[in-house]
Each structure stands twice: as structure tokens, then as C-alpha cells.
Coordinates of all heavy atoms in Angstrom, one line a residue:
M75 N 105.3 83.8 108.0 CA 105.3 85.0 108.8 C 106.6 86.0 108.5 O 107.3 86.3 109.3 CB 105.3 84.7 110.2 CG 104.8 85.9 111.1 SD 104.4 85.4 112.9 CE 105.8 85.9 113.6
A76 N 106.8 86.1 107.3 CA 108.0 86.8 106.8 C 108.1 88.3 107.3 O 109.1 88.7 107.9 CB 108.1 86.9 105.3
E77 N 106.9 88.9 107.3 CA 106.9 90.4 107.8 C 107.2 90.7 109.2 O 107.7 91.6 109.6 CB 105.6 91.1 107.3 CG 104.3 90.7 108.1 CD 103.7 89.4 107.5 OE1 104.1 88.9 106.6 OE2 102.7 89.1 108.0
E78 N 106.9 89.6 110.1 CA 107.2 89.7 111.5 C 108.6 89.7 111.9 O 109.0 90.2 112.9 CB 106.4 88.7 112.3 CG 105.0 89.0 112.7 CD 104.0 89.1 111.5 OE1 104.3 88.3 110.6 OE2 103.1 89.8 111.4
K79 N 109.5 89.2 110.9 CA 111.0 89.2 111.2 C 111.4 90.6 111.4 O 112.5 90.8 112.0 CB 111.6 88.4 110.2 CG 111.4 86.9 110.1 CD 112.1 86.3 109.1 CE 111.7 84.7 109.1 NZ 112.5 84.0 108.1
D80 N 110.8 91.6 110.8 CA 111.3 93.0 110.7 C 110.6 93.8 111.8 O 111.1 95.0 111.9 CB 111.1 93.6 109.4 CG 111.9 92.9 108.3 OD1 113.1 92.3 108.7 OD2 111.5 92.8 107.2
I81 N 109.7 93.4 112.6 CA 109.0 94.1 113.5 C 109.6 94.0 115.0 O 110.3 93.0 115.1 CB 107.5 93.7 113.6 CG1 107.1 92.4 114.1 CG2 106.8 94.0 112.3 CD1 105.8 92.1 114.3
Q82 N 109.5 94.9 115.7 CA 110.0 94.9 117.1 C 109.0 94.0 117.9 O 107.9 93.8 117.7 CB 110.1 96.2 117.8 CG 110.9 97.3 117.0 CD 112.4 96.9 117.2 OE1 112.8 96.5 118.4 NE2 113.2 97.0 116.3
F83 N 109.6 93.5 119.0 CA 108.8 92.8 119.9 C 107.5 93.4 120.4 O 106.3 92.9 120.6 CB 109.6 92.2 121.2 CG 108.8 91.6 122.3 CD1 108.5 90.3 122.1 CD2 108.4 92.3 123.4 CE1 107.9 89.6 123.1 CE2 107.7 91.7 124.4 CZ 107.4 90.4 124.3
E84 N 107.7 94.8 120.8 CA 106.6 95.6 121.3 C 105.5 95.7 120.3 O 104.3 95.8 120.6 CB 107.2 96.9 121.7 CG 108.0 97.0 123.0 CD 109.4 96.5 122.7 OE1 109.9 96.3 121.5 OE2 110.2 96.2 123.6
Q85 N 105.9 95.9 119.0 CA 105.0 96.0 117.9 C 104.1 94.7 117.7 O 102.9 94.8 117.6 CB 105.6 96.4 116.6 CG 106.3 97.6 116.5 CD 107.2 97.8 115.2 OE1 107.8 97.0 114.9 NE2 107.0 99.1 114.7
A86 N 104.8 93.6 117.9 CA 104.1 92.3 117.8 C 103.2 92.2 118.9 O 102.0 91.7 118.7 CB 105.2 91.2 117.8
M87 N 103.6 92.5 120.2 CA 102.6 92.4 121.2 C 101.5 93.3 121.0 O 100.3 92.8 121.4 CB 103.5 92.7 122.5 CG 104.5 91.7 123.0 SD 103.6 90.2 123.5 CE 102.4 90.6 124.8
H88 N 101.6 94.5 120.6 CA 100.5 95.4 120.3 C 99.6 94.7 119.4 O 98.3 94.8 119.5 CB 101.2 96.8 119.8 CG 99.9 97.8 119.5 ND1 99.2 98.3 120.7 CD2 99.6 98.2 118.5 CE1 98.4 99.2 120.1 NE2 98.4 99.1 118.8
Q89 N 100.1 94.2 118.3 CA 99.3 93.6 117.3 C 98.5 92.4 117.9 O 97.3 92.3 117.6 CB 100.1 93.1 116.0 CG 100.7 94.3 115.2 CD 101.4 93.7 114.0 OE1 101.4 92.5 113.7 NE2 102.1 94.5 113.5
L90 N 99.2 91.7 118.7 CA 98.5 90.6 119.4 C 97.3 91.0 120.3 O 96.4 90.4 120.4 CB 99.6 89.8 120.1 CG 99.1 88.4 120.8 CD1 98.5 87.6 119.8 CD2 100.3 87.8 121.4
E91 N 97.7 92.0 121.0 CA 96.6 92.6 121.9 C 95.4 93.0 121.1 O 94.2 92.8 121.5 CB 97.2 93.8 122.7 CG 98.3 93.3 123.8 CD 99.0 94.5 124.5 OE1 98.7 95.7 124.1 OE2 99.8 94.2 125.3
E92 N 95.6 93.7 120.0 CA 94.5 94.1 119.2 C 93.7 93.0 118.6 O 92.3 92.9 118.6 CB 95.0 94.9 117.9 CG 95.5 96.3 118.3 CD 96.1 97.1 117.2 OE1 96.3 96.5 116.2 OE2 96.2 98.4 117.4
I93 N 94.4 92.0 118.3 CA 93.7 90.7 117.7 C 92.8 90.1 118.8 O 91.8 89.7 118.6 CB 94.7 89.7 117.2 CG1 95.3 90.1 115.8 CG2 94.1 88.3 116.9 CD1 96.5 89.5 115.2
V94 N 93.5 90.0 120.0 CA 92.7 89.4 121.2 C 91.5 90.2 121.5 O 90.4 89.5 121.7 CB 93.7 89.4 122.4 CG1 92.8 88.9 123.6 CG2 94.7 88.2 122.2
Q95 N 91.5 91.6 121.4 CA 90.4 92.4 121.7 C 89.3 92.1 120.6 O 88.1 92.0 120.9 CB 90.8 93.8 121.7 CG 91.6 94.3 123.0 CD 92.1 95.7 122.8 OE1 91.9 96.3 121.8 NE2 92.8 96.1 123.9
K96 N 89.8 92.0 119.4 CA 88.7 91.7 118.3 C 88.0 90.4 118.4 O 86.9 90.3 118.2 CB 89.4 91.8 116.9 CG 89.9 93.2 116.5 CD 90.6 93.2 115.3 CE 91.1 94.6 114.8 NZ 91.9 94.6 113.5
L97 N 88.8 89.4 118.8 CA 88.3 87.9 118.9 C 87.4 88.0 120.3 O 86.4 87.4 120.2 CB 89.5 86.9 119.2 CG 90.2 86.8 117.9 CD1 91.5 85.8 118.2 CD2 89.3 86.2 116.7
E98 N 87.8 88.6 121.2 CA 86.9 88.6 122.4 C 85.6 89.4 122.3 O 84.5 89.1 122.8 CB 87.6 89.3 123.6 CG 88.6 88.4 124.2 CD 89.5 89.1 125.4 OE1 89.4 90.3 125.6 OE2 90.1 88.4 126.1
A99 N 85.5 90.5 121.4 CA 84.4 91.1 120.9 C 83.4 90.2 120.2 O 82.2 90.4 120.4 CB 84.7 92.4 120.1
G100 N 84.0 89.1 119.5 CA 83.1 88.2 118.8 C 82.2 88.8 117.8 O 81.2 88.1 117.4
E101 N 82.5 89.9 117.2 CA 81.7 90.5 116.2 C 82.3 90.3 114.7 O 81.5 90.6 113.7 CB 81.7 92.0 116.4 CG 81.0 92.3 117.7 CD 81.1 93.8 118.0 OE1 81.6 94.7 117.3 OE2 80.6 94.2 119.2
A102 N 83.3 89.7 114.5 CA 84.0 89.4 113.2 C 83.3 88.2 112.6 O 82.9 87.3 113.3 CB 85.4 89.2 113.4
P103 N 83.1 88.2 111.3 CA 82.6 87.0 110.6 C 83.6 85.8 110.8 O 84.7 85.9 111.0 CB 82.5 87.4 109.1 CG 82.6 88.9 109.1 CD 83.4 89.3 110.4
L104 N 83.0 84.6 110.6 CA 83.8 83.4 110.9 C 85.1 83.4 110.2 O 86.1 83.1 110.7 CB 83.0 82.3 110.4 CG 83.6 80.8 110.6 CD1 84.1 80.6 112.2 CD2 82.8 79.6 110.2
E105 N 85.1 83.7 108.8 CA 86.3 83.7 108.1 C 87.4 84.7 108.6 O 88.6 84.4 108.7 CB 86.2 84.0 106.6 CG 85.3 83.0 105.9 CD 83.7 83.0 106.1 OE1 83.3 84.1 106.7 OE2 83.1 82.0 105.8
D106 N 86.9 85.8 109.0 CA 87.8 86.8 109.5 C 88.4 86.4 110.9 O 89.5 86.6 111.3 CB 87.2 88.2 109.8 CG 86.9 88.9 108.4 OD1 87.5 88.4 107.3 OD2 86.0 89.7 108.4
T107 N 87.4 85.7 111.8 CA 87.9 85.2 113.0 C 88.9 84.1 112.8 O 90.0 84.2 113.6 CB 86.7 84.6 113.8 OG1 85.7 85.6 113.9 CG2 87.1 84.0 115.0
I108 N 88.8 83.3 111.8 CA 89.9 82.3 111.6 C 91.2 82.8 111.3 O 92.3 82.6 111.7 CB 89.4 81.2 110.5 CG1 88.2 80.4 111.1 CG2 90.5 80.3 110.2 CD1 87.5 79.6 110.1
T109 N 91.1 83.9 110.4 CA 92.3 84.6 109.9 C 93.0 85.3 111.1 O 94.3 85.3 111.3 CB 92.0 85.6 108.8 OG1 91.4 84.8 107.7 CG2 93.2 86.3 108.5
L110 N 92.1 86.0 111.9 CA 92.7 86.6 113.1 C 93.3 85.7 114.1 O 94.4 86.0 114.6 CB 91.6 87.5 113.8 CG 91.1 88.7 113.1 CD1 89.9 89.3 113.8 CD2 92.2 89.8 113.2
Y111 N 92.7 84.6 114.3 CA 93.2 83.5 115.2 C 94.5 83.0 114.7 O 95.6 82.9 115.5 CB 92.3 82.4 115.3 CG 92.7 81.3 116.3 CD1 92.6 81.4 117.7 CD2 93.3 80.2 115.8 CE1 93.1 80.4 118.5 CE2 93.8 79.1 116.6 CZ 93.7 79.3 118.0 OH 94.1 78.2 118.8
Q112 N 94.7 82.7 113.4 CA 96.0 82.2 112.8 C 97.1 83.3 113.0 O 98.2 83.0 113.4 CB 95.8 81.8 111.4 CG 95.0 80.6 111.2 CD 94.7 80.3 109.7 OE1 94.5 81.2 108.8 NE2 94.4 79.1 109.4
K113 N 96.7 84.5 112.7 CA 97.7 85.6 112.8 C 98.1 85.7 114.2 O 99.2 86.0 114.6 CB 97.0 86.9 112.3 CG 97.9 88.2 112.4 CD 99.1 88.1 111.5 CE 99.9 89.4 111.5 NZ 101.1 89.5 110.6
G114 N 97.1 85.6 115.2 CA 97.5 85.7 116.6 C 98.4 84.7 117.0 O 99.3 84.9 117.9
M115 N 98.1 83.4 116.6 CA 99.0 82.3 116.8 C 100.5 82.4 116.4 O 101.4 82.2 117.1 CB 98.5 81.0 116.4 CG 97.1 80.6 117.2 SD 97.3 80.4 118.8 CE 98.5 79.1 119.1
E116 N 100.6 83.0 115.1 CA 101.9 83.3 114.6 C 102.6 84.4 115.5 O 103.8 84.3 115.7 CB 101.8 83.8 113.2 CG 101.3 82.7 112.2 CD 101.0 83.2 110.8 OE1 101.2 84.5 110.5 OE2 100.8 82.4 109.9
L117 N 101.8 85.4 115.7 CA 102.5 86.5 116.7 C 102.9 86.0 117.9 O 103.9 86.3 118.5 CB 101.6 87.7 116.8 CG 101.3 88.6 115.6 CD1 100.2 89.4 115.7 CD2 102.7 89.3 115.2
S118 N 102.0 85.1 118.5 CA 102.3 84.5 119.9 C 103.6 83.8 119.8 O 104.4 83.8 120.7 CB 101.1 83.7 120.3 OG 101.5 83.0 121.6
A119 N 103.7 82.9 118.8 CA 105.0 82.0 118.6 C 106.2 82.9 118.4 O 107.1 82.7 119.0 CB 104.8 81.2 117.5
Y120 N 106.0 84.1 117.6 CA 107.0 85.0 117.4 C 107.5 85.7 118.7 O 108.7 85.6 119.0 CB 106.7 86.0 116.4 CG 107.7 87.3 116.2 CD1 108.7 87.1 115.4 CD2 107.4 88.4 116.8 CE1 109.5 88.0 115.2 CE2 108.4 89.5 116.6 CZ 109.5 89.2 115.8 OH 110.3 90.3 115.6
C121 N 106.6 86.1 119.5 CA 107.0 86.7 120.8 C 107.5 85.7 121.7 O 108.5 86.1 122.4 CB 105.7 87.3 121.3 SG 105.1 88.8 120.6
Q122 N 107.1 84.5 121.8 CA 107.6 83.5 122.5 C 109.1 83.3 122.4 O 109.9 83.2 123.2 CB 106.9 82.2 122.6 CG 107.3 81.1 123.4 CD 107.1 81.5 124.9 OE1 106.3 82.2 125.4 NE2 108.0 81.0 125.8
K123 N 109.4 83.1 121.0 CA 110.7 82.9 120.6 C 111.7 84.1 120.9 O 112.8 83.8 121.3 CB 110.8 82.7 119.0 CG 112.1 82.4 118.6 CD 112.0 82.0 116.9 CE 113.4 81.8 116.4 NZ 113.4 81.6 114.9
K124 N 111.2 85.3 120.8 CA 111.9 86.4 121.1 C 112.2 86.4 122.6 O 113.3 86.8 123.0 CB 111.2 87.8 120.8 CG 111.2 88.1 119.3 CD 112.6 88.7 118.9 CE 112.5 89.6 117.7 NZ 113.8 90.0 117.3
L125 N 111.2 86.2 123.4 CA 111.4 86.1 124.9 C 112.4 85.1 125.3 O 113.3 85.2 126.1 CB 110.0 85.9 125.5 CG 109.1 87.1 125.6 CD1 107.7 86.7 126.2 CD2 109.8 88.3 126.5
Q126 N 112.3 83.9 124.6 CA 113.4 82.7 125.0 C 114.7 83.2 124.6 O 115.7 82.9 125.3 CB 112.9 81.6 124.3 CG 111.6 80.9 124.8 CD 111.1 79.6 123.9 OE1 111.5 79.6 122.8 NE2 110.3 78.9 124.6
N127 N 114.8 83.9 123.4 CA 116.2 84.3 123.0 C 116.7 85.3 123.9 O 117.9 85.3 124.3 CB 116.2 85.0 121.6 CG 116.0 83.8 120.5 OD1 116.3 82.5 120.8 ND2 115.5 84.0 119.4
A128 N 115.8 86.3 124.4 CA 116.3 87.3 125.4 C 116.7 86.7 126.6 O 117.8 87.0 127.2 CB 115.2 88.2 125.6
E129 N 115.9 85.7 127.1 CA 116.2 85.0 128.3 C 117.6 84.3 128.3 O 118.6 84.4 129.1 CB 115.3 83.9 128.8 CG 115.4 83.2 130.0 CD 114.4 82.1 130.3 OE1 113.8 81.6 129.4 OE2 114.2 81.9 131.5
K130 N 117.8 83.7 127.1 CA 119.2 83.0 126.9 C 120.3 84.0 127.0 O 121.4 83.6 127.5 CB 119.2 82.2 125.6 CG 118.4 80.9 125.6 CD 118.3 80.4 124.2 CE 117.4 79.1 124.2 NZ 117.3 78.6 122.7
Q131 N 120.2 85.1 126.5 CA 121.2 86.1 126.5 C 121.4 86.7 127.8 O 122.5 86.9 128.3 CB 120.8 87.2 125.6 CG 120.9 86.9 124.1 CD 120.5 88.1 123.2 OE1 120.0 89.2 123.6 NE2 120.8 88.1 121.9
L132 N 120.4 86.9 128.7 CA 120.5 87.4 130.0 C 121.1 86.4 130.9 O 121.6 86.9 131.9 CB 119.0 87.8 130.5 CG 118.5 89.1 129.7 CD1 117.0 89.3 130.2 CD2 119.3 90.2 129.9
I133 N 120.9 85.2 130.7 CA 121.4 84.3 131.8 C 122.8 83.8 131.4 O 123.4 83.3 132.3 CB 120.5 82.9 131.8 CG1 120.4 82.2 130.5 CG2 119.1 83.3 132.5 CD1 119.7 80.9 130.8
R134 N 123.4 84.3 130.4 CA 124.8 83.9 130.1 C 125.7 85.0 130.8 O 125.4 86.3 130.8 CB 125.1 84.1 128.6 CG 124.7 82.8 127.9 CD 125.2 82.9 126.4 NE 124.1 82.7 125.6 CZ 123.9 83.5 124.4 NH1 124.7 84.2 124.1 NH2 122.7 83.3 123.8
M135 N 126.7 84.5 131.3 CA 127.6 85.4 132.2 C 129.1 85.0 131.8 O 129.2 84.0 131.3 CB 127.4 85.3 133.6 CG 126.0 85.8 134.2 SD 125.9 85.8 135.9 CE 127.2 87.0 136.3
I136 N 130.0 85.9 132.0 CA 131.3 85.6 131.8 C 132.0 85.6 133.0 O 131.9 86.5 134.0 CB 131.9 86.8 130.9 CG1 131.2 87.0 129.6 CG2 133.5 86.6 130.7 CD1 131.1 85.8 128.7
D137 N 132.8 84.4 133.4 CA 133.5 84.5 134.7 C 134.8 85.1 134.6 O 135.1 85.9 133.7 CB 133.7 82.9 135.0 CG 134.7 82.2 134.0 OD1 135.4 82.9 133.2 OD2 134.7 81.0 134.2
Q138 N 135.5 85.1 135.6 CA 136.7 85.9 135.8 C 137.9 85.5 134.8 O 138.7 86.4 134.4 CB 137.4 85.8 137.2 CG 136.4 86.4 138.3 CD 136.9 86.3 139.6 OE1 138.0 85.5 139.9 NE2 136.3 87.0 140.6
E139 N 137.7 84.3 134.3 CA 138.7 83.9 133.2 C 138.3 84.3 131.9 O 138.9 83.9 130.9 CB 139.0 82.5 133.4 CG 139.9 82.0 134.7 CD 139.0 81.9 135.9 OE1 137.8 81.3 135.8 OE2 139.4 82.3 136.9
G140 N 137.2 84.9 131.7 CA 136.7 85.2 130.4 C 135.9 84.2 129.8 O 135.4 84.2 128.6
K141 N 135.4 83.0 130.4 CA 134.6 82.0 129.9 C 133.2 82.2 130.2 O 132.9 82.7 131.2 CB 135.1 80.6 130.6 CG 136.6 80.3 130.2 CD 136.9 79.0 131.0 CE 138.3 78.7 130.7 NZ 138.8 77.5 131.4
E142 N 132.4 81.7 129.3 CA 130.9 82.0 129.3 C 130.5 81.0 130.3 O 130.9 79.8 130.2 CB 130.3 81.8 128.0 CG 128.8 82.1 128.0 CD 128.3 82.1 126.6 OE1 128.6 83.0 125.9 OE2 127.4 81.3 126.4
V143 N 129.6 81.3 131.3 CA 129.0 80.4 132.3 C 127.6 80.6 132.5 O 127.2 81.7 132.1 CB 129.7 80.4 133.7 CG1 131.1 80.0 133.5 CG2 129.6 81.9 134.2
Q144 N 126.9 79.6 132.7 CA 125.4 79.8 133.1 C 125.3 80.6 134.3 O 126.0 80.4 135.3 CB 124.8 78.4 133.1 CG 124.4 77.7 131.8 CD 123.4 78.4 131.0 OE1 123.9 79.1 130.0 NE2 122.2 78.4 131.3
F145 N 124.2 81.3 134.3 CA 123.9 82.2 135.6 C 123.1 81.3 136.5 O 122.2 80.6 136.1 CB 123.0 83.4 135.2 CG 122.5 84.2 136.3 CD1 123.3 84.9 137.0 CD2 121.2 84.0 136.7 CE1 122.8 85.6 138.3 CE2 120.7 84.8 137.8 CZ 121.5 85.6 138.6
D146 N 123.7 81.3 137.7 CA 123.0 80.6 138.8 C 122.5 81.5 139.9 O 123.4 82.2 140.6 CB 123.9 79.6 139.4 CG 123.3 78.6 140.5 OD1 122.1 78.9 140.8 OD2 123.9 77.7 141.0
P147 N 121.3 81.9 140.1 CA 120.8 82.8 141.0 C 121.0 82.5 142.3 O 120.9 83.3 143.3 CB 119.2 83.0 140.6 CG 118.9 81.7 140.1 CD 120.2 81.2 139.3
T148 N 121.3 81.2 142.7 CA 121.5 80.7 144.1 C 122.9 80.9 144.6 O 123.2 80.9 145.7 CB 121.1 79.4 144.2 OG1 121.9 78.5 143.4 CG2 119.6 79.0 143.8
V149 N 123.9 81.2 143.6 CA 125.2 81.5 144.1 C 125.3 82.8 144.8 O 124.8 83.8 144.3 CB 126.1 81.4 142.7 CG1 127.6 81.9 143.2 CG2 126.2 80.1 142.1
G150 N 126.0 82.7 145.8 CA 126.1 83.9 146.6 C 125.1 84.1 147.8 O 125.2 85.0 148.6
E151 N 124.1 83.2 147.6 CA 123.0 83.3 148.7 C 123.6 82.7 150.0 O 124.2 81.6 150.0 CB 121.8 82.8 148.3 CG 121.0 83.4 147.2 CD 119.7 82.7 146.8 OE1 119.4 81.7 147.5 OE2 118.9 83.3 146.0
S152 N 123.2 83.4 151.2 CA 123.6 82.6 152.4 C 122.5 82.1 153.0 O 121.3 82.6 152.9 CB 124.2 83.8 153.4 OG 123.3 84.7 153.6
N153 N 122.6 81.0 153.7 CA 121.5 80.3 154.4 C 121.5 80.6 155.8 O 121.9 79.7 156.6 CB 121.6 78.7 154.1 CG 121.3 78.5 152.6 OD1 120.5 79.2 152.0 ND2 122.0 77.4 152.2
E154 N 121.3 81.8 156.3 CA 121.3 82.2 157.7 C 120.0 82.0 158.2 O 119.0 82.1 157.9 CB 121.7 83.6 157.8 CG 123.1 83.8 157.3 CD 123.5 85.4 157.4 OE1 123.1 86.0 158.5 OE2 124.2 85.8 156.4

């Protein structure tokens, strides 16, 4: 999936949505359906990887001493 390395997440999602629509329509010949399914699985894996990388970047925080720490959404919550 070399060409997907250069596409944006949004482009990959758009392509994936188009593939899903074509597959749901059920009008493609079997060979085309298999090819579309494989391409869809590749795009799905690519998007999942992008989302996981984005999540990792978003949950990293820098503390007051300049050290990287994991984000804990429960810190600072009060239990009133």
C-alpha cells in the first residue's frame, strides 16, 4: 500500500467510504468485489494506524519540569 503513505487521513476515509458504498450496492463482479474488499481493508488499517498515532500524540503531556508524562483525565477531578 505504498501510495497510501502519501495521502491524507481524510482522503483515505473518503476512498474507504466510496468502497463501502460500492460493496453495499452489490453490483460489482466477483473479481472487482474481492479487489475492492482488499483495498478497503488496506485503507481501514491505514486509517486505524493514523488514528492510533494521533491518539498517542494527543495523550502525551509535558509536566512543569519539562518531562513527558501520560495524560490522566481523572487528575483534577473532584469527588463531591
